[in-house]
Amino acid sequence: MERRIIHIDMDAFYAQVEQRDNPEYRGRPIIVGGKSESRGVVATASYEARKFGVHSAMPTKQAYKLCPDGIYVRPRFDTYKAVSKKIMDIFLSYTEIVEPLSLDEAYLDITHLVSRERSAQSIALDIQRDIFDVTKLTSSSGISYNRYLAKIASGMNKPAGTTVIHYDNVQDILFGLDIGDFPGVGRVTEEKMKSLDIHTGKDLYEWEEKALVQHFGKKGTSLHQKARGIGTSELKVERIRKSIGKETTFHYDINDDDEILKVIEELSAKVGDKLELQQYAGKVVTVKMKTSDYATHSRQMMANNPIFTEAEIYHYAYSLYHELKDPDVPIRLIGVTVSQLSDRTYRNLTIYDFM
């Protein structure tokens, strides 16, 4: 099955959060990483600071020499982690096949979402829009058929860009790429390659695998493949979603069946939408409620066949609610969950599904 991989990379993440939270920082060079006289290093530099040559991992003292009028701030990792959690939740609302690389970037496998009616690029744009709507931060995305090409693509049109690498343009892009921009080529490897007159992807392409292995060991095989657009599409996923659910906490204790059932119907629709988006179906429906005395109760029912539509979910949730609800006890929370999930569809995709 041909994969469709998106690499999402937040734009100057830490610095952008600082500019969002401090309006007076907007449009000014922001360097996150501590005081200029410290021995620290730059964690992130805003795009305004990058114009002065400041970049991540640079000693802060050196950054100060390049940009003495910049605003130097200490990182607020608790804040960055909280924002990152919101971004990760957005990723997981699209697909469970997510491999986070850091607080500000991740790979997503969206193969199961792509169709003739919905391209990989349109999905990436939807994700970027959702990130901005929730966090007011911009991101860049790269789309391709393997991991490393998606990562290259996400860096090509920053900030707030979207780039697709497919079979028709991959070789042109790789030929023009500086050798240091290939993922996995660090400073030491880059220097060695340039000493061998390998400066671009085109130069690398012209080398035989045997010669690359001779100079770079096992890494030579990987370099030979990367010059030809060959790489793995498998993501390292630690979390596998076992259920999809939604719940609502009322502003006041409620005991009106019609009003509660209306909310259950809305929750069933939201769960159904998520199942549809992620192409899942489930066999177990659970209704949870919290009563006015803060006691939590739940009950579940197994369907004969996997379900995913709003009507099917509400059918079971309606019955479970009436089994669970004490007519004399108000509630303050109601929730609907579908579990024992399985994939609904598998598709073989073509190059046209990118665009």
Side-chain angles (χ1 to χ4, degrees), residues 82-97:
V83 176
S84 179
K85 173 66 166 56
K86 292 180 180 179
I87 295 168
M88 188 58 58
D89 286 343
I90 292 170
F91 294 159
L92 291 170
S93 73
Y94 281 83
T95 175
E96 282 303 306
I97 311 174

Side-chain angles (χ1 to χ4, degrees), residues 254-265 314 321:
I254 185 171
N255 202 30
D256 185 316
D257 283 342
D258 289 339
E259 193 170 347
I260 296 171
L261 285 169
K262 183 178 179 181
V263 173
I264 289 177
E265 188 172 13
Y314 180 69
Y321 168 75

Side-chain angles (χ1 to χ4, degrees), residues 7 17 37 140 191 202 254 275 289-290 308 310 355:
H7 180 255
V17 171
E37 67 270 16
S140 297
E191 289 176 358
K202 187 174 188 300
I254 185 171
L275 289 167
M289 65 176 63
K290 185 178 290 185
F308 56 89
E310 171 191 346
M355 307 302 288

Side-chain angles (χ1 to χ4, degrees), residues 20-37:
R20 181 198 68 179
D21 295 348
N22 301 277
E24 66 273 19
Y25 290 174
R26 295 172 190 170
R28 301 187 64 184
I30 305 300
I31 298 92
V32 179
K35 298 293 185 181
S36 59
E37 67 270 16

Side-chain angles (χ1 to χ4, degrees), residues 45-65:
S46 69
Y47 286 97
E48 295 86 353
R50 295 181 190 189
K51 294 177 181 178
F52 292 89
V54 180
H55 57 78
S56 299
M58 172 182 286
T60 312
K61 285 185 177 181
Q62 183 181 351
Y64 184 73
K65 291 178 181 178

